[in-house]
Amino acid sequence: MCADNPGPDHAARRGALRSLLVENGVDALLVTDLVNIRYLTGFTGSNAVLLVHSWDMRGAEDRTVLGTDGRYSAQVAAQVPDLRAEIARATARRILELAGEWQLGRVGFESHIVTVDAHKSFQEQRTGLQLVPTSGLVEQLRMVKDPYEVTQLRAACAAADAALATLLERGQIRPGRTERQVARDLEWAMFDHGAEAISFETIVAAGANSAIPHHRPTGAVLAAGDFVKFDFGAVVDGYHSDMTRTLVLGEPADWQCEIYELVARAQRAGREALKPGAETKEVDAAARVVIHDAGYGPQFVHGLGHGVGLQIHEAPGVAKTSTGTLLAGVAVTVEPGVYLPGRGGVRIEDTLVVREGGPELLTLTTKDLTVVG
């Protein structure tokens, strides 16, 4: 790891979580969400349970422990050398047994993750623990990205930018090819430019299909005069990018120029509203009013954006019904769209980081209307 790009400080993240545990009156937290476990420890296996102890720094022993099964003995030792690892087939059961033996008292669990059946099995263990529902504590920490995370987000966005540029340079976006062919080319190009995975199923939507917000690529053939909408992303070290661009094949019609310019203005307004302290619903409103005032309000059918990081959709949401305010360091998308059924649609989306003085733009592909051919 380069000196100017240190790896994630998992111990510091767990320390921040301990402060939240104290605020919420629990002695420990049973973390069962694998994404949250990765965030707090670096472990990437498919089975794990993490007990984070809200221990007293003045002398009490830290009882934080990571449990997994025998398949991951070597992996957990390599990825998480700073924590005790407990290897057991029934991982959650063993971790709760330990918490009971240690008399940890009030143990929180991720109530938004744990199923009813799993909670019932926890209770049936009769460990003497008081199980307390908690929701979104780790996700609250994950909203604000540290420098390492932003570096990975930049790399993921760069892979996506480079992939689309490659397709344009190679002439792979042209009439006669299918949506599915172009989507597969775009995905392979992301891998060629450093992606370890794709963020989600790539959207390539041509012609009337571009009016379907989450269209899945088909054998539909690209034709002259089509809008072609691309919504795609790359994953680098677990971090996701998300970008949408809408191109046109051949000279655009007047209605296409009108809709594109409208969405571009709305997207610009949404980006400019991203400031620390801004209410998320007001950010949505800043972009939505532009489209509403032009008479296309009913054709903007989704929220303006969402948080992005170790998951493609994470807190905070940016929509009419969202609550809360933005903090510096939060990574979000801004993606207004106008969709005209039977004709075509436009969406323009960027991934950005909220900063004092204006957001940092991570997706750098031009937002000018690109005419292909």
Side-chain angles (χ1 to χ4, degrees):
M1 189 69 64
C2 298
D4 60 350
N5 182 25
D9 189 340
H10 297 113
R13 293 175 181 176
R14 295 192 297 272
L17 177 59
R18 288 189 178 101
S19 297
L20 291 180
L21 301 187
V22 171
E23 291 176 17
N24 284 269
V26 294
D27 300 303
L29 178 66
L30 189 72
V31 184
T32 51
D33 181 85
L34 290 172
V35 178
N36 288 341
I37 291 171
R38 177 173 184 165
Y39 176 79
L40 293 168
T41 69
F43 183 65
T44 60
S46 65
N47 176 40
V49 174
L50 173 68
L51 183 74
V52 179
H53 181 203
S54 175
W55 57 297
D56 186 342
M57 296 290 290
R58 292 168 296 183
E61 184 178 356
D62 181 9
R63 297 296 194 179
T64 298
V65 58
L66 176 62
T68 187
D69 63 66
R71 295 172 297 167
Y72 298 110
S73 297
Q75 181 176 331
V76 73
Q79 291 184 328
V80 197
D82 59 331
L83 283 184
R84 169 178 172 173
E86 188 74 15
I87 307 300
R89 183 180 181 88
T91 309
R93 176 174 291 275
R94 177 56 184 151
I95 296 302
L96 283 172
E97 284 177 357
L98 287 173
E101 292 171 11
W102 294 330
Q103 301 180 340
L104 293 188
R106 290 169 56 86
V107 174
F109 65 93
E110 296 177 303
S111 57
H112 57 302
I113 300 297
V114 173
T115 65
V116 173
D117 285 350
H119 181 257
K120 181 181 178 181
S121 72
F122 294 168
Q123 296 281 28
E124 288 174 347
Q125 284 191 238
R126 302 188 183 280
T127 57
L129 301 170
Q130 182 180 352
L131 295 177
V132 180
T134 66
S135 181
L137 296 184
V138 183
E139 288 84 352
Q140 180 179 332
L141 297 176
R142 282 171 46 198
M143 277 197 294
V144 176
K145 271 54 182 180
D146 61 34
Y148 172 81
E149 292 179 291
V150 175
T151 296
Q152 306 315 310
L153 287 169
R154 286 194 196 104
C157 291
D161 282 325
L164 183 57
T166 294
L167 263 64
L168 289 167
E169 291 166 3
R170 293 175 177 172
Q172 291 174 299
I173 305 170
R174 64 178 185 271
R177 305 200 74 215
T178 69
E179 293 172 338
R180 193 174 289 120
Q181 287 172 327
V182 176
R184 297 297 86 82
D185 287 341
L186 184 55
E187 290 169 352
W188 278 115
M190 284 190 279
F191 286 117
D192 288 342
H193 288 285
E196 66 190 33
I198 58 173
S199 294
F200 49 89
E201 184 179 7
T202 297
I203 294 173
V204 175
N209 289 338
S210 63
I212 303 170
H214 279 185
H215 174 71
R216 302 181 71 178
T218 68
V221 177
L222 280 62
D226 280 353
F227 269 140
V228 186
K229 182 181 67 194
F230 296 84
D231 189 348
F232 61 107
V235 180
V236 172
D237 196 27
Y239 287 86
H240 298 67
S241 69
D242 198 355
M243 177 169 70
T244 305
R245 292 295 186 267
T246 305
L247 318 179
V248 65
L249 299 180
E251 195 64 27
D254 290 345
W255 72 270
Q256 291 175 313
C257 292
E258 175 192 347
I259 296 301
Y260 192 92
E261 176 54 29
L262 173 61
V263 175
R265 286 193 288 113
Q267 209 259 355
R268 188 180 312 118
R271 297 197 320 268
E272 292 172 352
L274 291 176
K275 299 175 182 178
E279 293 187 27
T280 51
K281 65 181 179 182
E282 294 303 324
V283 176
D284 178 277
R288 193 170 300 276
V289 70
V290 176
I291 293 174
H292 177 273
D293 288 353
Y296 290 96
Q299 284 73 50
F300 180 11
V301 296
H302 52 73
L304 181 65
H306 54 85
V308 62
L310 284 171
Q311 292 175 297
I312 189 59
H313 291 99
E314 57 183 51
V318 183
K320 290 189 292 185
T321 57
S322 296
T323 59
T325 58
L326 295 175
L327 300 172
V330 169
V332 294
T333 67
V334 174
E335 49 181 302
V338 170
Y339 310 95
L340 307 179
R343 299 183 71 188
V346 173
R347 183 164 66 248
I348 303 171
E349 175 187 21
D350 285 312
T351 298
L352 309 100
V353 179
V354 177
R355 303 288 195 197
E356 296 285 354
E360 177 185 353
L361 180 65
L362 302 186
T363 41
L364 304 181
T365 297
T366 182
K367 287 180 282 291
D368 292 338
L369 179 56
T370 299
V371 177
V372 180

